[in-house]
Amino acid sequence: MKRRHPVAPASAEFGDDARVRRAARRVGVLVGGSSALIVSVGIAVLIVGLMGESRRERPAGPPGIDADRVVVDIDDVVPWLIGFALFAVAALALIAWLSARRSVRPLVQALQLQRTFVADASHELRTPLTALVSRVQILERRLARGEPTAEVVAKLRRDADAMSDTLTDLLLAASAESGRHDASGECSPVAAAHAAVDRLGPLADARGVHLTVSPQAPSPGDTRVPLGIVACTRLWIVLIDNAIAHSPQGAAVVVDSHDESDTVELRVSDAGSGIDPKQTERLFERFARGAGAERRTGFGLGLALARDLAHGAGGSLTVEHTSPSGTTFLVTLPRSSTHRDSAE
C-alpha cells in the first residue's frame, strides 16, 4: 500500500507572497490616486476662489498705455489656503487609516486561517489517534496471550495511513488558494461508511455500542458522490463518532446510505437522549457543544467540519429527527455526474 505523506502545497508560500504584493499594490494605487485627486480638487477650488475674489485695476503708468492687472487681497486668500490645508490633512489621514487596514487584511486572514487549521487538526486527529491507541492495546493483549496478530497489525497500518491522509487533507484545506476542505474526486459512500465503521470499531466496542451498517457491504455498482474518499470517510467518522459519544451503553448506532433519483441520502441514527430543537442549528457552529459533550473531550468542531464537507460537495447536513429516544443526522449529496450519466 502506497502511503501518502502529509506535505503542504508547494505553491502555498508563493501564493501568500503574491497576495501580499497585490495588497501592497492596491494600497499604493489607493494612496497615490487619492492624494492626486485631493491635490487636484484643492487646486481647482483654490483657483475658482481666487478668481471669484479678484478684481481688475488700471495701473498708474505713462500716458497712452492701456493695461489692466488682476488684484487679489491677501486677506481673502489666506482663509482659502488654511481651509484647503485642513481639508487635505484630514482627507489624507482618513486615506492612510483605510490603507493601513487594507494592507494588514492579508495578515489577519493568514492568522485566522492558522487558528482554524490548528483547531481543525486538533479535532480531526483526535479520533484516529484514539482508535490507534485502542488497536495498540488490542495488539498488546493478543501478544500477551500468544494469539495471532497479523489482522491487528494490518489495521494499525490502515489507521496510520488514515492519519496521514487526514493530515494531508487538512494541509490542503489550509491552503490559502482553496480556503476550504478538499472535496475533489468521487467515491462510494457505502465503501466510505464501512471504512469509517472499521476505524471506529474499537471506540464503539469500548463503550458497548453496536454499529449497524446498511448496505452490509460495498459493491462495484454502488452510487458515487462528488467527494474524495478521504473527505467522505471523514464525514462519516464525524457523524458516527458523535453518535457513539451520545449513545448509552448497549445501544445501537445505525449507519445507512440510500439512493434517491438525483441524490444520495446518508443517515446516522443513535439512541441518545435527543437534542433541544432550539439548539439544532447551533450544533453546526464551530466550538459549539451540545448536552452530553462533557463525556468526550474536544472543541465542538466535528459537526461544523462535516457540514463544510457536505456543502463543499453541493449537499447539505441537517438534523432530520430528534426526540428523547434518539437523533438522526441526514446528509444529502448529489450523485456524481459520471455515475448519473452512465445510469441514464
Side-chain angles (χ1 to χ4, degrees):
M1 181 184 298
K2 185 177 180 181
R3 185 172 180 179
R4 293 167 51 191
H5 295 282
V7 294
S11 61
E13 180 180 353
F14 298 101
D16 292 338
D17 186 58
R19 276 192 304 280
V20 171
R21 287 199 301 270
R22 286 196 298 269
R25 284 196 297 268
R26 287 195 298 267
V27 170
V29 171
L30 176 63
V31 173
S34 301
S35 300
L37 179 62
I38 290 174
V39 172
S40 300
V41 172
I43 292 175
V45 172
L46 185 60
I47 292 175
V48 171
L50 291 176
M51 293 180 64
E53 296 294 335
S54 62
R55 66 180 184 276
R56 291 183 177 275
E57 291 183 351
R58 184 180 300 277
I65 298 179
D66 187 12
D68 291 337
R69 64 183 177 184
V70 177
V71 178
V72 179
D73 294 331
I74 191 66
D75 294 338
D76 298 329
V77 175
V78 170
W80 285 94
L81 293 175
I82 295 176
F84 170 69
L86 293 176
F87 168 76
V89 169
L92 290 176
L94 177 62
I95 293 172
W97 176 69
L98 293 175
S99 301
R101 289 189 60 183
R102 175 168 290 190
S103 65
V104 301
R105 189 175 300 168
L107 300 178
V108 174
Q109 293 173 346
L111 288 173
Q112 183 178 3
L113 184 64
Q114 182 184 49
R115 293 191 184 98
T116 301
F117 171 76
V118 171
D120 289 357
S122 299
H123 180 275
E124 289 298 297
L125 294 178
R126 174 179 59 84
T127 296
L129 274 173
T130 304
L132 195 64
V133 171
S134 299
R135 300 278 193 206
V136 171
Q137 293 173 347
I138 294 173
L139 180 61
E140 290 176 340
R141 290 195 295 268
R142 290 197 176 188
L143 286 173
R145 294 194 295 261
E147 297 176 353
T149 59
E151 180 184 358
V152 180
V153 172
K155 290 183 177 181
L156 277 172
R157 176 59 184 270
R158 287 202 299 270
D159 288 342
D161 288 341
M163 287 184 60
S164 177
D165 290 339
T166 299
L167 187 55
T168 299
D169 195 39
L170 284 168
L171 289 171
L172 291 174
S175 170
E177 293 297 329
S178 64
R180 64 188 305 167
H181 296 281
D182 180 28
S184 59
E186 61 179 35
C187 75
S188 163
V190 177
H194 282 271
V197 168
D198 181 68
R199 198 171 301 167
L200 293 175
L203 298 180
D205 294 340
R207 291 187 56 84
V209 175
H210 179 64
L211 299 179
T212 302
V213 190
S214 178
Q216 296 183 356
S219 67
D222 287 336
T223 302
R224 305 180 75 82
V225 295
L227 197 62
I229 183 62
V230 173
C232 192
T233 304
R234 285 175 56 208
L235 174 59
W236 279 115
I237 285 176
V238 168
L239 297 177
I240 298 172
D241 181 51
N242 180 75
I244 294 172
H246 294 87
S247 294
Q249 186 172 6
V253 171
V254 180
V255 180
D256 176 70
S257 176
H258 179 71
D259 293 351
E260 294 292 334
S261 57
D262 294 323
T263 61
V264 180
E265 294 182 348
L266 316 179
R267 288 180 173 84
V268 176
S269 304
D270 62 53
S273 57
I275 304 170
D276 183 353
K278 297 179 181 179
Q279 300 294 321
T280 53
E281 282 303 314
R282 184 177 177 275
L283 291 176
F284 299 105
E285 298 176 1
R286 288 180 181 269
F287 306 106
R289 294 191 294 179
E294 67 278 2
R295 295 179 295 178
R296 296 289 301 275
T297 59
F299 299 97
L301 284 164
L303 293 175
L305 297 177
R307 175 169 277 189
D308 286 347
L309 288 172
H311 285 176
S316 63
L317 168 59
T318 59
V319 177
E320 183 182 38
H321 167 77
T322 184
S323 70
S325 60
T327 300
T328 298
F329 284 89
L330 169 64
V331 179
T332 303
L333 297 174
R335 293 193 184 196
S336 64
S337 57
T338 55
H339 186 90
R340 186 166 54 247
D341 293 342
S342 62
E344 295 175 351

